[in-house]
Amino acid sequence: NTNIFKSYVTVSEAAKLLNRSHSQVTRYIKSGRLHAEKRGSQLFIKRSLLAKFQPPPKGNPAFRQQSEK
């Protein structure tokens, strides 16, 4: 059973690995950008999916567009 858990991370662990906040990772999940599985009351993300996930650049998209011009 513990081998199964080694292949998954919690939202908090994913946030640390992605250098994003817990709430941002939750938004990725709710929007469908990142798949998670619910076990009881907690969400788990497969490490293999997290390794492939490319989060968008940090910051406000409107501000990024202005600064890129």
Side-chain angles (χ1 to χ4, degrees), residues 3-68:
N3 287 339
I4 293 171
F5 293 112
K6 289 180 182 179
S7 61
Y8 287 84
V9 296
T10 63
V11 173
S12 295
E13 291 168 326
K16 288 177 188 174
L17 292 168
L18 294 173
N19 194 26
R20 297 294 195 270
S21 68
H22 184 279
S23 59
Q24 183 62 57
V25 174
T26 303
R27 285 192 293 273
Y28 293 150
I29 294 166
K30 286 185 179 183
S31 71
R33 287 185 178 192
L34 186 60
H35 177 74
E37 298 176 23
K38 195 166 189 174
R39 301 281 185 233
S41 62
Q42 197 165 11
L43 291 168
F44 290 92
I45 303 157
K46 279 188 177 181
R47 285 185 186 273
S48 59
L49 291 177
L50 193 63
K52 295 175 189 174
F53 182 70
Q54 294 294 316
K58 281 184 163 183
N60 184 322
F63 180 74
R64 276 197 313 271
Q65 289 172 356
Q66 290 174 355
S67 64
E68 291 171 358

